[in-house]
């Protein structure tokens, strides 16, 4: 599994090199000016995110044209492995299908939102080599009981008799061992590392006084040591499924 570490808000830029040189990173459109160059020059592979989630959370308008222009500038860069197709987080299936249909670049990855139908998920998996899974609607909180229940219903539709998905899956905001040891993802992303190294209260004892660089390396290495699953395992036993 590829671990895409989000670099949004990770400052100063030297930290990106110190922590993620030779690793895999994700650049989100709203933060593209912060660390883009150092990421492209030093990371093993890079995924581009359209920033729809950030716009949705902040209540700001989403600029489709600007995102596509940015993708166009970077589409031939050798480090780029995928582009999340612009999406409307809580939009209709028809709205998101239209955005997928008009996307002009070959390495586009469509997003299936958990509030959407299993039929749309199956159609995307049949049409694309990689599909991204995005938490949304009443399923916006990863690892909640209802979230696991929704995932159970979805994965039963897109896995074979061995629990293996019929296309590669990318987990948006799912770079969490509690998730990728249960869902057979080919890649996942998170800004957990960049956010966590800033807050002393999250680090106890001797680790409280460690540098951001040391904290970042610990988080990245810890995440990448965990062995992901290659088949669907399902929700933790202590979280009963409410919906199927």
């Amino acid at each position: 599994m590829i671990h895409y570490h989000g670099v949004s808000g990770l400052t100063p830029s030297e930290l990106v090199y110190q922590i993620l040189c030779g690793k895999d990173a994700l650049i989100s459109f709203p933060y593209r000016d912060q660390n883009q160059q150092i990421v492209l020059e030093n990371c093993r592979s890079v995924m581009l995110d359209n920033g729809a989630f950030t716009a949705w959370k902040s209540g700001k308008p989403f600029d489709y044209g600007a995102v596509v222009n940015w993708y166009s500038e970077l589409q031939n860069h050798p480090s780029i492995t995928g582009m999340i197709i612009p999406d409307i987080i809580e939009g209709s299936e028809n709205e998101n299908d239209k955005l997928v249909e008009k996307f002009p670049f070959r390495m586009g990855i469509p997003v299936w939102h958990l509030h959407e139908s299993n039929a749309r998920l199956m159609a995307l998996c049949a049409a694309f080599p990689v599909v991204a899974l995005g938490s949304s609607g009443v399923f916006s909180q990863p690892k909640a009981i209802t979230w696991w229940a929704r995932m159970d219903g979805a994965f039963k539709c897109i896995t074979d008799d061995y629990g293996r998905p019929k296309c590669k899956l990318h987990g948006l905001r799912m770079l969490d061992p509690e998730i990728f040891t249960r869902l057979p993802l080919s890649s996942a992303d998170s800004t957990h590392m960049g956010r966590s190294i800033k807050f002393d209260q999250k680090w106890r004892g001797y680790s409280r006084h460690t540098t951001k660089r040391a904290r970042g390396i610990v988080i990245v290495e810890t995440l990448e040591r965990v062995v992901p699953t290659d088949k669907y395992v399902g929700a933790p036993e202590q979280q009963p499924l409410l919906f199927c």
Side-chain angles (χ1 to χ4, degrees), residues 2-8 10 13-28 34-48 77-81 193 220 224:
I2 302 175
H3 303 67
Y4 287 105
H5 303 281
V7 297
S8 303
L10 185 56
S13 293
E14 288 78 6
L15 276 177
V16 177
Y17 176 81
Q18 293 168 347
I19 299 172
L20 294 178
C21 182
K23 302 291 186 180
D24 306 289
L26 177 140
I27 304 174
S28 185
Q34 289 182 348
N35 297 305
Q36 176 173 301
Q37 197 58 39
I38 199 165
V39 165
L40 293 175
E41 291 175 355
N42 296 285
C43 289
R44 176 171 47 199
S45 69
V46 181
M47 181 172 286
L48 303 182
H77 193 284
S79 295
I80 304 301
T81 53
M193 181 274 292
V220 169
E224 298 195 357

Side-chain angles (χ1 to χ4, degrees), residues 57-201:
K57 291 289 287 186
S58 65
K60 296 180 180 179
F62 179 71
D63 192 337
Y64 175 88
V67 172
V68 170
N69 287 339
W70 179 52
Y71 282 176
S72 178
E73 293 171 2
L74 297 177
Q75 63 173 318
N76 294 320
H77 193 284
S79 295
I80 304 301
T81 53
M83 302 170 171
I84 303 298
I85 296 176
D87 60 310
I88 303 172
I89 304 296
E90 292 190 339
S92 69
E93 295 188 9
N94 184 54
E95 290 173 317
N96 281 307
D97 282 341
K98 287 181 178 179
L99 290 174
V100 171
E101 289 170 5
K102 73 175 184 178
F103 190 72
F105 309 116
R106 289 176 296 176
M107 61 179 66
I109 299 173
V111 180
W112 175 75
H113 308 86
L114 269 68
H115 73 274
E116 295 173 342
S117 68
N118 290 343
R120 181 170 191 263
L121 173 60
M122 290 187 288
L124 291 174
C125 288
F128 289 85
V130 185
V131 173
L133 308 177
S135 304
S136 60
V138 296
F139 313 107
S140 63
Q141 184 56 52
K143 300 193 296 184
I145 293 176
T146 51
W147 186 89
W148 279 116
R150 182 68 187 100
M151 281 297 191
D152 186 66
F155 271 79
K156 285 178 179 176
C157 295
I158 58 168
T159 51
D160 61 19
D161 293 340
Y162 301 98
R164 294 170 180 163
K166 298 176 182 179
C167 75
K168 291 187 177 182
L169 302 172
H170 175 79
L172 295 165
R173 299 191 296 135
M174 296 183 198
L175 188 54
D176 183 329
E178 293 183 21
I179 294 176
F180 65 71
T181 57
R182 294 181 172 279
L183 304 183
L185 304 174
S186 63
S187 59
D189 68 71
S190 172
T191 57
H192 168 71
M193 181 274 292
R195 290 183 287 107
S196 296
I197 64 175
K198 301 176 183 179
F199 303 111
D200 288 343
Q201 65 268 27

